[in-house]
């Protein structure tokens, strides 16, 4: 059973994670990951059937930075706001300095001329490690429930 | 705004006799859409439904769509591939809820009519009634009440189906040149399934087909393609079509990341853009010939993607005049080593609903539909590269779009 302090620390990491995406602070998003991290956005049906394809697959913090550059500089998209709600955080194991945690998430999307809609709902299956005293994600898998994506995924989940 | 149709009047008045104008009405009108489903999707065409590797064993099944009709692809005990409608012959229930699985037979949950893997009706509960009461009439013949069975063709691991009894054989449907390009990727090697993605795009289905027949936009819209030379108008390239114009290929060879006198109109070529981790663009040659990208569009609604080492079937499922679902099936070959599989998975970052390239398209299709719908009387212009419909050995052209509408007008009688 993780200590209360560790639980609060983990919750802080998730809160910071959501804030980077929701507050358009994308450049800070990769800093929450280790340098050799693995980040994936995976439809539930691929996950359930052990099919390896992910919609986003970043195999390093550098790839996360390239994703940010793509959002900032290269991708053509209609402006939108996103809002992440992360809850039901569970710490499933803690071995050799690697914490396995999972959480439910919901991402809401608001386009300029439309009501807010539920954009993507699923769970985070994560591994966390401590580097220089800070907890970071060494692995994050975002497994989303509805395999049908409403048009495009611009911002990371 | 809606357009009303007087009896016997043509559904659409085309702006001219050619193919360089496309009336917006065909992207918005529910009656046009209904006729497209009937004539194009359920008519004399072959629709992609699955890869054979998705149903390798007896009893395996996979749900799919042709037009708006749900179908099931099955592998029967005798090894045959069957495609049957997912609609109970009794009262119309879409009885199979699973995307894929393995079954000995299918039973409708409503009245438990049971069918075998080929769609034959095996059993009807209370067929002879109870104690002589009720039951089916004596002349009820199970043979007349099976599921709709579609025509099936397997081409080197890809399964196609048709609702039409009169559809021409697959090889003739593609024609020799298009079949040649098809068999460049489907060369008989065993495939391996990497996974799926699906997205609902708020634009008419034809806009997506046009997008993949229009190399003109690729050199302007897609910074990733332009900057890294993956697909660009100054590269050695061509647009090939079959005799009817209904199928096409955009064929090209990767160029360099630098401006030349040929790229001056490509404002978005970004010479100094360096990826911090370039492994997502680390292609190795794997197909015969010079081409590093061949995007094939098969009438009416399939895109076969070979960009560098990322391979996918992109199937369009129309969902009303104003939107369509794009279903991506990514694959490799059974003899890929681990490094090749990882390369394909990395390069998949370019494609799909979150793709560094493809997102530009799904976003642009939405704003296309947004612009088209309120101006139904207007027409699109497709004159780049002339007004004709012959194959061209460059990509500063919209000839593939014109070819598509040449055949569309013929089939739709417009």
């Amino acid at each position: 059973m993780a200590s209360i302090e560790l639980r609060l620390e983990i919750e802080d990491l998730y809160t910071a994670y959501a804030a980077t995406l929701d507050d358009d602070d994308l450049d800070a998003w990769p800093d929450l990951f280790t340098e050799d991290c693995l980040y994936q956005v995976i439809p539930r049906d691929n996950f359930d059937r052990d099919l390896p394809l992910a919609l986003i697959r970043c195999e390093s913090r550098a790839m996360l930075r390239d994703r940010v550059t793509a959002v900032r500089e290269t991708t053509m998209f209609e402006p939108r706001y996103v809002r992440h709600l992360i809850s039901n955080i569970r710490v499933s194991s803690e071995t050799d300095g690697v914490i396995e945690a999972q959480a439910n998430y919901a991402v809401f999307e608001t386009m300029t001329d439309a009501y807010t809609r539920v954009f993507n709902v699923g769970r985070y299956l994560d591994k966390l490690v401590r580097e220089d005293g800070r907890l970071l994600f060494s692995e994050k898998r975002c497994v989303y429930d509805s395999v049908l994506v409403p048009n495009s995924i611009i911002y990371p989940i | 705004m809606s357009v009303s149709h007087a009896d016997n009047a043509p559904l659409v008045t085309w702006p001219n006799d050619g193919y360089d104008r496309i009336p917006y009405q065909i992207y918005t009108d529910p009656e046009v859409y209904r006729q497209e489903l009937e004539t194009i999707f359920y008519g004399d065409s072959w629709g992609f439904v699955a890869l054979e590797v998705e149903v390798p064993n007896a009893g395996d099944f996979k749900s799919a769509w042709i037009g708006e009709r749900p179908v099931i692809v099955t592998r029967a005990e005798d090894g045959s591939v069957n495609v049957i409608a997912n609609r109970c012959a009794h009262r119309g229930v879409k009885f199979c809820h699973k995307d894929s699985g393995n079954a000995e037979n299918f039973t409708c949950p409503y009245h438990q009519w049971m069918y075998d893997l080929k769609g034959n009706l095996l059993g009807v509960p209370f067929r002879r009634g109870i104690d002589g009461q009720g039951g089916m009439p004596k002349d009820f013949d199970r043979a007349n009440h099976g599921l709709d069975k579609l025509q099936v063709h397997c081409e080197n691991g890809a399964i196609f189906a048709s609702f039409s009894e009169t559809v021409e054989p697959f090889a003739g449907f593609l024609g020799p040149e298009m079949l040649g390009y098809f068999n460049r990727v489907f060369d008989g090697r065993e495939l391996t399934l990497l996974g799926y993605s699906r997205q609902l795009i708020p634009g008419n289905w034809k806009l997506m087909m046009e997008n993949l027949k229009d190399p003109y936009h690729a050199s302007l819209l897609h910074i990733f393609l332009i900057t890294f030379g993956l697909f660009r108008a100054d590269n050695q390239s061509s647009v090939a079509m079959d005799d009817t114009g209904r199928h096409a290929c955009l064929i090209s060879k990767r160029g360099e990341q630098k401006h030349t006198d040929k790229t001056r109109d490509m404002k978005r070529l970004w010479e100094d853009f360096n990826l911090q981790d370039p492994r997502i663009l680390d292609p190795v040659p794997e197909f015969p010939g010079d081409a590093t990208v061949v995007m094939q569009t098969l009438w009416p609604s399939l895109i076969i993607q070979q960009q560098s080492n990322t391979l996918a079937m992109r199937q369009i499922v129309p969902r009303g005049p104003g939107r369509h679902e794009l279903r991506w099936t990514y694959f490799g070959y059974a003899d890929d080593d681990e490094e090749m599989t990882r390369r394909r998975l990395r390069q998949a970052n370019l494609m799909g609903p979150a793709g560094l390239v493809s997102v530009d398209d799904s976003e642009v299709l939405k704003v296309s539909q947004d612009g088209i719908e309120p101006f139904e009387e207007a027409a699109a212009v497709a004159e780049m590269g002339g007004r004709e419909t012959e194959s061209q050995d460059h990509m500063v052209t919209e000839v593939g779009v014109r070819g598509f509408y040449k055949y569309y007008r013929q089939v739709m009688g417009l």
Side-chain angles (χ1 to χ4, degrees):
Chain A
M1 177 107 176
S3 70
I4 290 174
E5 270 174 39
L6 180 61
R7 284 166 176 271
L8 288 174
E9 201 181 351
I10 291 169
E11 198 174 307
D12 281 351
L13 177 62
Y14 280 101
T15 307
Y17 181 90
T20 60
L21 300 173
D22 297 346
D23 300 345
D24 198 26
D25 189 19
L26 276 185
D27 297 312
W29 174 67
D31 297 336
L32 302 174
F33 291 82
T34 59
E35 193 174 338
D36 61 349
C37 65
L38 178 63
Y39 170 83
Q40 291 175 283
V41 176
I42 309 169
R44 179 183 38 76
D45 53 353
N46 289 354
F47 183 82
D48 289 348
R49 294 171 60 188
D50 287 326
L51 294 169
L53 185 97
L55 268 66
I56 302 177
R57 178 188 177 88
C58 295
E59 296 180 17
S60 65
R61 190 195 284 150
M63 274 194 202
L64 297 178
R65 295 207 188 284
D66 289 333
R67 266 279 159 185
V68 172
T69 306
V71 176
R72 287 271 188 253
E73 310 284 348
T74 75
T75 310
M76 198 296 293
F77 62 93
E78 274 194 290
R80 68 201 62 196
Y81 301 93
V82 291
R83 185 77 50 205
H84 288 66
L85 300 186
I86 302 171
S87 70
N88 305 46
I89 298 170
R90 274 180 289 164
V91 178
S92 35
S93 73
E94 191 183 351
T95 38
D96 299 331
V98 179
I99 299 163
E100 292 198 25
Q102 46 181 299
N104 289 352
Y105 71 82
V107 184
F108 297 87
E109 180 182 75
T110 310
M111 310 294 285
T112 315
D113 288 330
Y115 292 117
T116 300
R117 67 173 169 184
V118 178
F119 176 67
N120 194 283
V121 172
R123 64 203 144 124
Y124 293 133
L125 304 175
D126 299 337
K127 288 181 183 164
L128 286 61
V129 296
R130 193 174 295 281
E131 274 186 14
D132 300 329
R134 288 177 63 210
L135 277 183
L136 297 174
F137 293 111
S138 62
E139 185 175 330
K140 189 171 198 60
R141 289 177 295 172
C142 318
V143 181
Y144 61 91
D145 293 336
S146 170
V147 295
L148 193 59
V149 170
N151 211 17
S152 330
I153 296 177
I154 308 291
Y155 294 100
I157 297 295
Chain B
M1 195 186 310
S2 71
V3 177
S4 62
H5 305 292
D7 287 346
N8 303 323
L11 209 51
V12 177
T13 306
W14 216 271
N16 63 19
D17 289 337
Y19 314 105
D20 57 325
R21 290 291 182 277
I22 307 153
Y24 285 178
Q25 190 193 341
I26 64 164
Y27 304 111
T28 60
D29 188 334
E31 286 192 44
V32 171
Y33 177 73
R34 200 171 302 120
Q35 193 186 317
E36 287 174 348
L37 287 177
E38 207 53 47
T39 309
I40 296 173
F41 287 92
Y42 312 142
D44 291 336
S45 65
W46 287 101
F48 171 73
V49 284
L51 300 174
E52 282 199 67
V53 69
E54 297 180 84
V55 285
N57 303 312
D60 286 348
F61 67 87
K62 164 82 186 151
S63 288
W65 300 86
I66 290 187
E68 291 209 30
R69 292 180 177 170
V71 299
I72 309 167
V73 184
T74 69
R75 177 81 66 177
E77 291 86 351
D78 62 2
S80 66
V81 173
N82 303 270
V83 181
I84 50 185
N86 189 355
R87 175 186 70 84
C88 181
H90 177 215
R91 296 276 284 277
V93 169
K94 180 170 174 271
F95 55 85
C96 177
H97 321 297
K98 287 189 175 172
D99 180 66
S100 62
N102 187 281
E104 284 177 21
N105 49 57
F106 295 107
T107 302
C108 177
Y110 201 179
H111 305 88
Q112 286 163 36
W113 284 32
M114 189 169 78
Y115 303 92
D116 70 12
L117 293 163
K118 296 184 175 184
N120 300 307
L121 180 59
L122 296 178
V124 173
F126 305 140
R127 185 178 163 196
R128 300 188 202 290
I130 296 176
D131 291 340
Q133 292 184 304
M136 285 295 191
K138 283 198 167 34
D139 61 355
F140 179 84
D141 184 353
R142 281 183 309 185
N144 296 333
H145 297 276
L147 302 173
D148 292 340
K149 299 170 187 173
L150 282 71
Q151 304 292 310
V152 177
H153 178 84
C154 296
E155 184 70 27
N156 285 347
I159 306 167
F160 291 80
S162 179
F163 275 100
S164 167
E165 301 276 334
T166 57
V167 64
E168 66 190 296
F170 187 77
F173 177 70
L174 259 66
E177 192 183 2
M178 287 297 129
L179 189 61
Y181 281 111
F182 186 89
N183 290 333
R184 179 175 166 277
V185 169
F186 293 91
D187 58 5
R189 273 186 291 167
E190 199 184 325
L191 304 176
T192 183
L193 178 68
L194 297 180
Y196 306 99
S197 68
R198 291 164 56 187
Q199 62 191 131
L200 190 64
I201 298 176
N204 182 271
W205 69 275
K206 297 186 293 302
L207 293 172
M208 181 51 82
M209 287 303 277
E210 289 178 26
N211 180 265
L212 270 296
K213 291 168 180 285
D214 162 21
Y216 177 28
H217 88 278
S219 285
L220 300 164
L221 171 64
H222 299 303
I223 291 188
F224 251 80
L225 292 185
I226 306 161
T227 295
F228 298 110
L230 293 171
F231 192 97
R232 204 169 64 198
D234 59 318
N235 299 349
Q236 177 192 321
S237 51
S238 57
V239 179
M241 283 178 288
D242 72 321
D243 291 341
T244 68
R246 62 189 169 184
H247 314 301
C249 283
L250 308 186
I251 305 141
S252 188
K253 185 183 163 188
R254 188 173 179 180
E256 294 182 65
Q257 185 179 353
K258 64 175 187 191
H259 266 297
T260 65
D261 56 345
K262 294 176 184 171
T263 62
R264 63 177 174 273
D265 281 352
M266 299 179 203
K267 306 289 185 230
R268 307 189 82 196
L269 196 164
W270 183 5
E271 232 172 346
D272 308 328
F273 181 22
N274 290 311
L275 291 170
Q276 295 199 21
D277 188 338
R279 286 179 295 169
I280 61 164
L281 289 179
D282 176 29
V284 294
E286 62 172 322
F287 297 104
D290 283 346
T292 57
V293 47
V294 175
M295 304 297 276
Q296 186 169 36
T297 39
L298 294 187
W299 175 270
S301 56
L302 177 67
I303 298 141
I304 302 162
Q305 162 200 311
Q306 181 263 308
Q307 166 59 270
S308 305
N309 307 109
T310 173
L311 309 173
M313 302 301 246
R314 304 182 191 172
Q315 188 208 359
I316 294 170
V317 178
R319 298 285 184 206
R323 56 184 200 162
H324 66 275
E325 188 181 328
L326 194 60
R327 298 168 69 91
W328 306 64
T329 306
Y330 296 80
F331 60 94
Y333 301 101
D335 60 6
D336 288 345
D337 60 18
E338 203 181 319
E339 185 52 32
M340 189 58 154
T341 298
R342 196 165 304 131
R343 182 178 283 115
R344 296 193 200 286
L345 295 173
R346 283 186 195 129
Q347 291 179 17
N349 276 299
L350 299 174
M351 303 300 179
L356 298 169
V357 175
S358 299
V359 160
D360 297 335
D361 290 322
S362 46
E363 288 291 301
V364 114
L365 258 59
K366 190 226 174 229
V367 287
S368 293
Q369 191 76 20
D370 286 348
I372 285 167
E373 276 185 3
F375 295 96
E376 206 175 30
E377 276 91 6
V381 178
E383 288 188 24
M384 187 55 74
R387 300 191 179 92
E388 306 308 317
T389 56
E390 276 79 39
S391 296
Q392 297 180 350
D393 59 358
H394 59 85
M395 59 163 103
V396 200
T397 182
E398 292 169 314
V399 69
V401 176
R402 291 191 292 277
F404 180 81
Y405 284 108
K406 179 180 161 188
Y407 188 67
Y408 177 90
R409 290 190 67 172
Q410 182 187 324
V411 170
M412 291 284 286
L414 296 173

